[in-house]
């Protein structure tokens, strides 16, 4: 591994918060992403109280108006076939999209890491069983599985969350188990065992804290991924059902108008795109900050690009 | 694997005659008298007795198979086809004289025996034939050969419109005890090939008894998306595409818009509070901006409707006016109902069918919002076709439901009985009503003939629409199709259901 | 060559495959009366009873499961509601379309990704390297249905260069493949870059460098050979992802592959075909996983070594 200028371990770290802040300030893309995501979450939380009327307000005399400044702020992204503001609908849809992704990721992260940490500590047959089940879920064609489940039980928002949570659960399970196994035989855990602490308490006291940071890093990547899966399912008509709207639903709605009103599909899709890019930037950044060894794929920070160590 | 995939695609390409490697087609099929038609859905069955389903009908009727009579597209009047004349024996019996010298496409002569078999098999319950369910409800027919060219058809009950119903029975050379996927008919075309989920090919029938049609070969391809169908014609990969959404008509080149005999309406669960209140039902009708929906969402593919049937059907009442759009009055009606103790806050479900017609989802969203504006608590539940049909439409009196059900009614038979019995008599398969007075009106009308019949059905229609307000008529739907430069075709009222290749020509 | 490790992984994949089949069976039984899944929704009660009788739906569950597995072994999933043919026949007609799409996509993705990754790896921090990094970020974040819609909008609707959808000549392959290529391309470029950067900083490359071997030779021969394993592994994963995820692209482009078939069957409630489709797709992914294991073990000397050590 090459040397990394952002050195998290000990040396240049007065306080964790201060360090995070300085690391963030050093990375423009991550900075912008964090700010954008914060705004998005705030808007998604607050906006519905102000614009719920605009989302459904129709103007049949002004259907599929092109984006522009002619119709004021809410006409900025154009109107749909019922003359409703696309901007208002994209904002409203953000809430469903984010809520589903957050719930699914939260459930799978918590359940996955608890199970993973437990079986990692216990070892033996519970571990073997859990790992095989994880294998099974991982090798499922997950989109097709979701199709079957939603077909058999009918599409409902809660079911979508459950399906997404289950399909992504093995990722956390494996990670948590590996981490717990690694610390199981460390001296302080041995000592805890020697003191007569019960298994459950050891898992809670030592297993979970060791697992949390690494799971948190995973959560960000997964968030983007889950948003993409949800939007695909919804686009196919087996995810979020009308009149509920998510970004995927809006994009699907506009599909029939591709030739005449491209903005109906374009902007909701763009919203997904930008959000997931921002999430991935933040996730890459947080990885590079918290664990240089795990820093793969998505982002190179500016400092590294001029790092002479990686030059041939 | 790649080679395999490409090989397959080339086979399809040559079959389509698609020479356009970059989408800049140079006039479709190479063969001058061979055409490609893009349909929205593939037939489910090509058995003649299933022709009553639209997707089967378009391919079969008047192309591969024919009936004893045809119906004039505009007037609905019966025209001789395989039968040259028919005479009434009694209230439930007719004799049909068959056209002499007609042969099935395999050379078998058309005789009374073959027709009797074709009719009788349509009513065998195990075949679950479309024509039995759609046209005859629970009525049963028995056909017998009187002599070589005379067939007698008898119904189990008196039926003043028996010949009209019989015009829906497509005659094929068929096995009495089995259904078929390779129909043999008397029509101007014969089935050449059916590549499931890909295409159906018809070829000209050299033995056809009538005038030889100008087109030699027809290939049907199936594309669910309206935009894709339209573009197949624009790139020259097809000559005709039907059922275009208004936004896919482009600059209008090659596009023809025409009226359909189809009406969009909402069924009302008249037994459930608050829909059991007449004022609430009136309010719902007043709340809907039909003009706005037709212009804005349907982009003028259609006209606001005052009733469930179209003008040329006997029983259409021209005196019924389209409900005006008056949300203020609607709101005060709802308020008034609330003051009388009607629970108007109860949740009303609007059951819609996904992808029913062009932009149907948007139309229904628009309707739901209009109803919310007048203070009703309306939510949409979108269902796929199967669930919509079986869970909602065919369970009309489910007491647990407080619903409005989106429906499109197509009736191009010329007679209102096909509409009224199923939808409004107390025993109708789709009827939410239990109205003894209406039942006797319907029975009287169904038993009458001629002008009296039309008059009685007008009364029925007026009673349903304005006296008891049992439904919400929204719009008569329009259709549009696109043809390539070289194909000539003039659509008519039947074109959504029957696409006669013999009416087309290439130039 | 160690087959112990492979054997173990094949076994795991097999367990996963069996698990899928068990799960699918019990999912379909969870709805209460599975006859409702297999029959047209407007089937009469007699027909439902008759079906239940015929297919042993009144038998004990374990016996039903036995019959189900028996059917699977004979590749008998029942008949399609839509056209009355065996469900497996219908699925097999769709398979070549999806496989063709996946094969064309992966060929192009690998052929483009490896040189790009190598070029980026030779000069980390260069403009090319940054472009490659951002490309990966974007392709990992774009919903594929949106990419497809935008591609149709631009290339088919506005420019009119390519057909909107459907099947036919080569032109019909361009947009679906182009859209599908994006994600594997992004991932593979990054993986090959990462693998090569690691290799280039390894001791033996340094040794080769001090011996005066040309840089091109180092990258193309020494490093590349050792970077094969991760690239192939990830390429396999991506191919499996396409088999699974092609449903979206096939739906948009009217491609008659398995994914489209599944959606159509769901809309038409053709459960036999849905079942046959899922099991077939899972079988392909299963085979793919095994192939990946073989290639990975074969191409990765270190792993072979570890396997021995582990035993």
């Amino acid at each position: 591994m090459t040397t990394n200028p952002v050195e998290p371990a000990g040396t240049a770290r007065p306080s964790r918060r201060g360090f995070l802040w300085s690391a963030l300030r050093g990375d423009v893309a991550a900075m912008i992403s964090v700010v954008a995501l914060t705004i998005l979450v705030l808007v998604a939380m607050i906006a519905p109280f102000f614009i719920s009327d605009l989302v459904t307000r129709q103007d049949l005399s002004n259907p599929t108006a092109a984006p522009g400044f002619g119709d004021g702020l809410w006409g900025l992204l154009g109107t749909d076939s019922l003359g409703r503001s696309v901007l208002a609908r994209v904002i409203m849809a953000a809430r469903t999209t984010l809520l589903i992704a957050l719930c699914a990721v939260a459930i799978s992260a918590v359940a996955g890491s608890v199970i993973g940490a437990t079986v990692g500590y216990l070892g033996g047959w519970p571990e073997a069983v859990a790992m095989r089940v994880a294998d099974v879920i991982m090798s499922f064609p997950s989109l097709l599985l979701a199709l079957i489940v939603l077909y058999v039980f009918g599409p409902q928002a809660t079911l979508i969350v459950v399906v997404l949570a289950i399909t992504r659960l093995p990722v956390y399970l494996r990670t948590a188990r590996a981490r717990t196994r690694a610390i199981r035989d460390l001296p302080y855990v041995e000592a805890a065992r020697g003191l007569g602490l019960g298994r459950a308490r050891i898992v809670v006291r030592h297993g979970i804290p060791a697992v949390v940071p690494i799971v948190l890093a995973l959560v960000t990547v997964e968030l983007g991924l889950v948003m993409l899966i949800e939007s695909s399912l919804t686009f196919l008509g087996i995810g979020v059902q009308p009149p509920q709207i998510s970004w995927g639903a809006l994009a699907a709605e506009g599909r029939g108008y591709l030739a005449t009103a491209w903005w109906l599909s374009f902007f909701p899709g763009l919203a997904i795109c930008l959000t997931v890019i921002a999430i991935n930037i933040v996730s890459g950044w947080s990885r590079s900050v918290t664990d240089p060894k795990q820093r793969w794929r998505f982002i190179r920070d500016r400092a590294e690009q001029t790092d002479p160590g990686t030059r041939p | 694997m790649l080679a395999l995939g490409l090989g397959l695609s080339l086979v399809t390409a040559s079959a389509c005659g698609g020479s356009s490697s970059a989408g800049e087609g140079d006039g479709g099929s190479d063969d001058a008298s061979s055409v490609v038609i893009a349909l929205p859905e593939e037939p489910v069955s090509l058995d003649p007795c299933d022709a009553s389903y639209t997707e089967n009908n378009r391919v079969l009727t008047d192309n591969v198979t024919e009936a004893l009579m045809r119906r004039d597209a505009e007037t609905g009047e019966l025209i001789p086809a395989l039968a040259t004349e028919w005479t009434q024996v009694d209230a439930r019996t007719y004799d049909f004289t068959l056209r002499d010298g007609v042969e099935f496409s395999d050379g078998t002569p058309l005789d009374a025996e073959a027709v009797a078999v074709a009719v009788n098999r349509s009513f065998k319950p195990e075949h679950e034939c479309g024509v039995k369910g759609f046209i005859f409800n629970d009525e049963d027919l028995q056909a017998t050969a009187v002599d070589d060219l005379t067939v007698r058809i008898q119904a189990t009950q008196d039926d003043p419109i028996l010949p009209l119903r019989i015009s829906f029975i497509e005659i094929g050379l068929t096995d009495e005890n089995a259904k078929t996927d390779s129909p043999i008919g008397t029509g101007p075309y014969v089935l050449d090939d059916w590549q499931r989920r890909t295409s159906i090919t018809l070829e000209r029938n050299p033995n056809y008894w009538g005038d030889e049609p100008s087109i030699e070969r027809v290939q049907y391809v199936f594309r669910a998306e309206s935009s894709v169908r339209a573009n197949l014609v624009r790139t020259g990969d097809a000559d005709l595409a039907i059922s275009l959404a208004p936004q896919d008509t482009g600059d209008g080149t090659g596009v023809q818009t025409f009226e359909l005999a189809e009406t969009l309406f909402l069924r009302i669960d008249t037994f459930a509070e608050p829909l059991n209140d007449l004022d609430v039902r009136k309010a719902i009708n007043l709340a809907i901006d039909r003009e706005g929906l037709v212009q804005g969402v349907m982009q003028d593919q259609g006209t606001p409707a005052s009733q469930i049937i179209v003008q040329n059907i006997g029983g259409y009442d021209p005196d019924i006016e389209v409900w005006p759009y008056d949300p203020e009055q609607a709101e005060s009606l709802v308020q008034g109902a609330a003051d009388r103790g009607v629970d108007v806050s109860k949740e009303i479900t609007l059951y819609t069918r996904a992808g029913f017609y062009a932009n149907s989802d948007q139309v229904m969203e628009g309707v739901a919002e209009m109803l919310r504006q007048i203070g009703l608590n309306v939510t949409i539940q979108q269902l796929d076709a199967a669930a919509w049909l079986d869970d909602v439409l065919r369970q009309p009196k489910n007491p647990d439901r407080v619903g409005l059900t989106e429906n499109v009614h197509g009736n191009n038979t010329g007679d209102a009985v096909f509409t009224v019995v199923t939808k409004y008599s107390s025993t109708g398969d789709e009827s939410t009503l239990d109205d003894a007075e209406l039942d006797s009106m319907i029975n009287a009308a169904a038993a009458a003939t001629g002008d009296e019949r039309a008059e009685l059905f007008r009364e029925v229609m007026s009673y349903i629409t304005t006296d008891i307000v049992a439904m919400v008529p929204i719009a008569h739907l329009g259709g549009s199709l696109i043809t390539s430069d070289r194909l000539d075709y003039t659509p008519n009222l039947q074109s959504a259901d029957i696409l006669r290749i013999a009416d087309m020509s290439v130039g | 060559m160690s087959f112990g490790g492979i054997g173990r992984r094949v076994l795991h994949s097999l367990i996963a495959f069996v698990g899928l089949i068990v799960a699918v069976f019990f999912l379909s039984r969870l709805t209460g009366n599975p006859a409702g899944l297999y029959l047209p929704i407007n089937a009469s009660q007699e027909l439902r009873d008759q079906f239940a009788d015929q297919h042993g739906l009144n038998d004990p569950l374990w016996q039903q499961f036995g019959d189900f597995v028996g059917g699977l072994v004979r590749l008998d999933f029942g008949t399609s509601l839509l056209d009355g043919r065996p469900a497996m026949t219908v699925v097999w007609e769709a398979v070549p379309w999806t496989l063709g799409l996946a094969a064309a996509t992966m060929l192009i993705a690998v052929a483009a990704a490896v040189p790009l990754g190598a070029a980026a790896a030779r000069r980390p921090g260069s403009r090319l390297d940054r472009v490659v990094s951002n490309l990966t970020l974007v392709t990992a974040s774009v919903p594929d249905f949106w990419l497809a819609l935008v591609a149709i909008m631009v290339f088919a609707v506005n420019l009119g260069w390519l057909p909107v959808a459907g099947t036919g000549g080569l032109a019909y392959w361009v947009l679906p493949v182009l859209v599908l290529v994006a994600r594997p391309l992004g991932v593979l470029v990054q993986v090959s870059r990462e693998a090569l950067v690691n290799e280039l900083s390894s001791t033996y490359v340094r040794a080769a460098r001090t011996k005066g071997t040309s840089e091109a030779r180092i990258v193309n021969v020494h490093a590349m050979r050792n970077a094969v394993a991760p690239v192939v592994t990830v390429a396999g994963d991506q191919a499996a992802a396409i088999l699974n995820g092609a449903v979206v692209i096939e739906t948009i482009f009217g491609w008659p592959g398995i994914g489209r078939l599944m959606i159509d069957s769901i809309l038409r409630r053709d459960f036999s075909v849905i079942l046959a489709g899922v099991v077939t797709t899972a079988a392909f992914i299963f085979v793919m996983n095994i192939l990946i294991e073989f290639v990975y073990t074969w191409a990765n000397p270190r792993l072979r070594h570890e396997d021995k050590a582990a035993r």
Side-chain angles (χ1 to χ4, degrees):
Chain A
M1 207 62 213
T2 56
T3 52
N4 195 317
V6 187
E7 201 57 75
T11 51
R13 198 168 67 171
S15 76
R16 186 159 180 87
R17 198 196 287 161
F19 159 70
L20 279 175
W21 172 242
S22 65
L24 187 58
R25 214 171 37 186
D27 188 329
V28 179
M31 181 81 161
I32 295 175
S33 300
V34 168
V35 171
L37 288 174
T38 313
I39 293 175
L40 176 72
V41 170
L42 286 178
V43 166
M45 271 172 15
I46 298 166
F49 296 109
F50 298 98
I51 61 162
S52 62
D53 170 55
L54 271 166
V55 172
T56 50
R57 187 191 295 159
Q58 305 173 352
D59 180 2
L60 290 176
S61 63
N62 191 23
T64 58
F69 297 100
D71 294 324
L73 171 68
W74 297 109
L76 207 58
L77 303 187
T79 64
D80 71 2
S81 55
L82 289 164
R84 297 174 296 198
S85 160
V86 171
L87 178 60
R89 289 174 70 73
V90 167
I91 291 174
M92 193 69 174
R95 193 155 84 145
T96 321
T97 305
L98 292 178
L99 213 58
I100 288 183
L102 283 172
C103 289
V105 167
I107 293 173
S108 53
V110 171
S113 22
V114 168
I115 299 173
T118 311
V119 301
Y121 178 78
L122 292 179
W125 67 264
E127 184 180 22
V129 169
M131 293 314 287
R132 287 302 77 75
V133 170
D135 280 351
V136 171
I137 298 175
M138 283 301 266
S139 59
F140 265 20
S142 55
L143 203 58
L144 296 185
L145 176 78
L147 286 180
I148 286 216
V149 172
L150 295 173
Y151 165 74
V152 170
F153 297 103
Q156 308 148 19
T158 42
L159 201 58
I160 298 163
V161 170
V162 171
V163 167
L164 290 173
I166 290 178
T167 48
R168 300 315 300 167
L169 193 132
V171 179
Y172 304 97
L173 197 156
R174 286 178 171 176
T175 312
R177 169 211 166 241
R179 186 80 188 118
T180 320
R181 266 184 74 150
I183 64 148
R184 186 168 56 178
D185 301 322
L186 291 179
Y188 72 96
V189 179
E190 295 257 16
R193 214 169 9 230
L195 286 172
L197 281 175
R199 282 174 164 184
R201 288 192 66 179
I202 293 180
V203 169
V204 172
R205 271 275 178 85
H206 300 288
I208 303 283
V211 162
V212 164
I214 200 165
V215 164
L216 281 181
L218 256 184
V219 158
T220 47
V221 200
E222 287 288 311
L223 205 56
L225 201 65
V226 165
M227 279 177 67
L228 289 181
I229 304 177
E230 179 270 319
S231 64
S232 289
L233 282 174
T234 302
F235 183 80
L236 290 171
I238 47 171
V240 175
Q241 297 295 303
Q244 256 194 344
I245 48 175
S246 71
W247 286 336
L250 290 183
E253 214 176 270
R255 196 180 146 204
Y257 292 88
L258 222 46
T260 47
W262 52 268
W263 52 92
L264 298 187
S265 277
F266 183 82
F267 290 118
L270 191 66
I272 302 175
C273 227
L274 294 179
T275 309
V276 179
I277 286 179
I279 290 174
N280 282 341
I281 288 178
V282 173
S283 119
W285 166 82
S286 72
R287 242 194 324 271
S288 72
V289 172
T290 52
D291 184 359
K293 289 244 158 89
Q294 291 278 321
R295 165 191 54 88
W296 44 272
R297 311 234 163 126
F298 297 116
I299 179 139
R300 326 266 100 200
D301 52 52
R302 196 170 292 274
E304 192 209 352
Q305 280 160 8
T306 52
D307 177 13
T310 54
R311 280 265 166 85
Chain B
M1 279 191 282
L2 177 62
L4 183 54
L6 288 176
L8 270 175
S9 81
L10 291 178
V11 171
T12 328
S14 58
C16 287
S19 52
S20 51
S21 58
E24 297 163 38
D26 52 1
S29 323
D30 305 329
D31 192 347
S33 57
S34 159
V35 298
V36 177
I37 297 178
L39 300 177
E41 62 250 311
E42 180 172 17
V44 173
S45 157
L46 285 184
D47 192 294
C49 83
D50 284 328
S52 309
Y53 293 95
T54 305
E55 62 270 30
N56 309 339
N57 204 35
R58 288 179 184 134
V59 173
L60 279 177
T61 301
D62 286 356
N63 294 325
V64 178
T65 58
E66 296 170 307
L68 295 176
M69 295 86 76
R70 297 203 289 121
R71 295 169 305 283
D72 183 273
E74 303 305 325
T75 63
E77 214 172 299
L78 294 176
I79 307 169
L82 293 181
T84 49
E85 54 184 85
W86 48 100
T87 50
Q88 188 166 19
V89 178
D90 60 41
R92 58 183 71 176
T93 314
Y94 278 81
D95 278 349
F96 294 85
T97 309
L98 300 183
R99 194 178 289 277
D100 200 3
V102 176
E103 286 179 355
F104 286 104
S105 56
D106 70 343
T108 314
L110 175 87
D111 58 16
E113 194 53 49
V115 172
V117 169
V119 171
N120 290 336
R121 73 186 286 275
S122 303
F123 292 88
K124 290 205 157 188
E126 66 267 30
H127 291 341
E128 297 188 324
C129 286
V131 68
K132 175 175 154 62
F134 278 111
I135 306 297
F136 289 90
N137 295 323
D138 294 323
E139 207 172 324
D140 229 339
L141 296 193
Q142 183 62 45
T144 42
V146 177
D147 61 39
D148 226 21
L149 287 181
T150 311
V151 66
R152 170 165 296 181
I153 300 180
Q154 188 167 31
T156 45
Q157 61 204 52
D158 292 0
D159 187 350
I161 55 158
L162 188 59
L164 178 59
R165 290 193 215 261
I166 287 174
S167 75
F168 285 90
I169 304 177
E170 293 294 300
I171 305 295
L173 182 62
T174 42
D175 185 337
E176 186 156 5
N177 297 311
K179 291 190 84 170
T180 179
D181 276 339
S182 43
I184 295 169
T186 57
Y189 291 88
V190 292
L191 178 70
D192 177 46
D193 185 28
W194 185 3
Q195 294 282 328
R196 301 274 180 172
R197 298 169 204 259
T198 309
S199 68
I200 288 177
T201 313
L202 307 184
E203 280 196 323
R204 202 151 60 187
N205 174 8
N207 295 332
Y208 186 53
W209 58 270
D211 297 335
E212 180 176 79
S214 76
I215 291 166
E216 255 172 49
R217 228 178 118 80
V218 188
Q219 188 188 35
Y220 297 97
V221 295
F222 318 109
R223 299 284 185 268
E225 301 82 4
S226 151
S227 58
V228 173
R229 286 195 299 278
N231 277 298
L232 280 181
V233 173
R234 295 202 179 102
T235 57
D237 291 322
D239 297 289
L240 170 66
I242 62 166
S243 307
L244 302 191
Q247 63 268 25
D248 295 321
T249 51
D251 62 0
T253 313
V255 173
Q256 297 182 66
T257 306
F258 53 98
E259 277 182 38
L260 302 175
E262 291 187 346
T263 308
L264 166 66
F265 72 101
L266 305 181
R267 181 180 73 182
I268 304 179
D269 286 341
T270 44
F271 48 80
E273 191 179 358
L275 299 173
N276 57 2
D277 186 83
L278 181 65
D279 277 354
V280 171
R281 298 202 293 273
K282 281 183 180 163
I284 290 175
N285 269 298
L286 289 167
I288 294 173
D289 181 3
R290 294 171 176 79
E291 196 71 44
L293 288 173
V294 165
Q295 281 173 7
V297 189
M298 303 181 180
Q299 295 174 30
D300 284 323
Q301 266 194 24
T303 47
S306 63
Q307 55 202 294
I308 190 176
I309 49 177
V310 294
Q311 239 163 358
N312 66 334
I313 306 284
Y316 176 89
D317 187 347
D319 295 335
I320 304 177
E321 276 176 27
V322 177
W323 286 91
Y325 172 49
D326 190 344
E328 285 81 24
Q329 199 199 335
E331 207 172 340
S332 70
L333 281 175
V334 171
Q335 196 51 53
D339 294 343
R340 274 183 283 112
V342 177
D343 182 6
V344 294
S345 65
K346 219 162 161 189
E347 180 172 332
I348 300 170
T349 310
L350 175 57
Y351 295 93
T352 70
R353 178 173 148 181
F356 208 165
Y357 45 90
N359 304 339
S360 66
D361 303 350
Q362 282 79 11
V363 173
M364 282 301 117
E365 269 190 54
V367 167
E369 181 57 24
M370 289 165 190
L371 297 183
R372 277 182 219 120
Q373 292 293 335
I374 62 161
L376 294 175
N377 177 8
V378 176
T379 52
I380 292 185
Q381 189 174 347
Q382 195 184 61
L383 303 165
D384 61 40
W388 170 83
L389 185 72
D390 211 58
D391 298 351
V392 182
L393 195 69
R394 293 276 164 82
Q395 292 184 23
K397 287 171 182 144
N398 182 347
D400 300 332
R401 197 180 55 215
V402 185
L404 299 166
T405 309
E406 176 191 28
N407 200 354
V408 171
H409 177 57
N411 182 348
N412 60 10
T413 59
D415 198 287
V417 74
F418 295 101
T419 302
V420 169
V421 174
T422 341
K423 295 194 159 47
Y424 301 108
S425 76
S426 52
T427 53
D429 277 352
E430 302 170 11
S431 167
T432 58
L433 301 178
D434 240 327
D435 187 324
E437 188 185 342
L438 180 60
D439 284 350
S440 61
M441 286 170 78
I442 293 174
N443 288 338
T449 53
D451 286 347
E452 193 201 353
R453 184 180 178 88
E455 177 55 37
L456 287 176
F457 271 121
R458 274 199 288 279
E459 278 168 24
V460 168
M461 206 48 71
S462 160
Y463 181 80
I464 294 167
T465 318
T466 50
D467 292 0
I468 60 169
V469 194
M471 46 95 70
V472 187
I474 296 177
H476 302 303
L477 300 181
S480 56
L481 53 77
I482 180 170
T483 53
S484 63
D485 298 343
R486 64 194 200 107
L487 186 94
D488 263 333
Y489 177 64
T490 311
N492 57 45
L493 262 178
Q494 291 178 342
S495 291
D497 297 320
I498 301 178
L499 272 179
R500 304 181 78 230
I501 309 297
D503 288 349
M504 304 173 192
S505 62
V506 284
Chain C
M1 186 136 179
S2 155
F3 283 95
I6 288 189
R8 206 174 57 225
R9 291 195 188 88
V10 169
L11 188 69
H12 289 173
S13 299
L14 196 65
I15 293 175
F17 184 58
V18 171
L20 168 97
I21 287 167
V22 175
V24 165
F25 173 81
F26 283 101
L27 261 180
S28 70
R29 292 309 184 267
L30 271 179
T31 54
N33 182 8
L37 288 175
Y38 284 92
L39 292 172
I41 192 157
N42 55 355
S44 60
Q45 191 55 45
E46 299 99 81
L47 203 62
R48 279 168 211 266
D49 294 345
Q50 193 191 339
F51 182 89
D53 236 27
Q54 237 170 38
H55 293 81
L57 294 179
N58 303 323
D59 295 342
L61 206 58
W62 58 268
Q63 196 175 334
Q64 287 186 42
F65 185 65
D67 292 345
F68 176 73
V69 172
L72 275 182
V73 171
R74 284 174 278 117
L75 291 181
D76 176 11
F77 292 88
T79 52
S80 160
L81 273 185
L82 180 62
D83 51 27
R85 295 179 305 158
M88 209 54 208
T89 313
V90 175
V91 170
W92 271 110
E93 278 173 9
V95 163
W97 290 98
T98 301
L99 286 186
L101 210 54
T105 303
M106 290 318 298
L107 276 180
I108 293 173
V110 173
V114 173
L116 270 176
R122 281 172 66 174
R123 309 195 54 199
S126 66
R127 178 173 296 188
L128 177 77
D129 190 29
R130 264 176 291 163
V131 168
V132 161
S133 292
N134 290 331
L135 172 86
T136 315
L137 175 66
V138 171
T139 56
S141 311
V142 180
D144 42 9
F145 65 83
W146 188 69
L147 198 59
L149 292 181
V150 172
I152 290 178
M153 222 154 67
V154 174
F155 295 107
V157 175
N158 288 340
L159 298 175
W161 291 350
L162 293 162
V164 171
T167 53
L170 257 178
Y172 288 86
W173 286 70
V174 177
L175 282 184
V177 170
L178 221 60
V179 171
L180 278 176
V181 154
R183 189 157 306 156
L185 180 70
V187 174
L188 284 172
V189 166
Q190 199 61 29
V191 168
S192 33
R193 180 201 176 276
E194 207 85 354
L196 281 170
V197 167
N198 283 348
E199 290 299 330
L200 288 175
S201 59
S202 68
T203 30
Y204 78 93
V205 169
R206 288 202 181 127
R209 223 173 250 152
T210 50
K211 277 194 279 176
T213 316
S214 78
E215 194 61 33
R217 196 175 154 73
I218 287 176
V219 171
N220 293 339
V221 179
H222 292 279
M224 199 75 102
R225 195 164 51 199
N226 288 296
V228 164
V231 170
V232 167
T233 311
V234 173
D237 282 346
Q238 291 293 319
I242 291 180
L243 290 181
N244 177 22
V247 47
V248 174
I249 298 303
E250 290 182 358
T251 308
I252 294 177
F253 288 103
W255 198 260
I258 295 194
R260 176 79 195 257
L261 178 67
M262 299 285 292
I263 286 287
D264 281 354
S265 305
I266 281 178
L267 293 180
R268 304 225 193 192
R269 310 211 154 193
D270 202 345
F271 191 67
S272 306
V273 176
I274 300 174
L275 204 57
V278 167
V279 172
T280 308
T281 313
F284 272 109
I285 292 177
F286 165 65
V287 170
M288 186 81 75
N289 281 336
I290 293 176
L291 285 179
I292 296 169
E293 289 302 339
F294 269 101
V295 174
Y296 189 66
T297 315
W298 167 79
N300 196 336
R302 272 174 250 161
L303 190 77
R304 265 180 270 162
H305 187 69
E306 278 164 24
D307 264 345
K308 269 186 204 130
R311 282 200 298 163

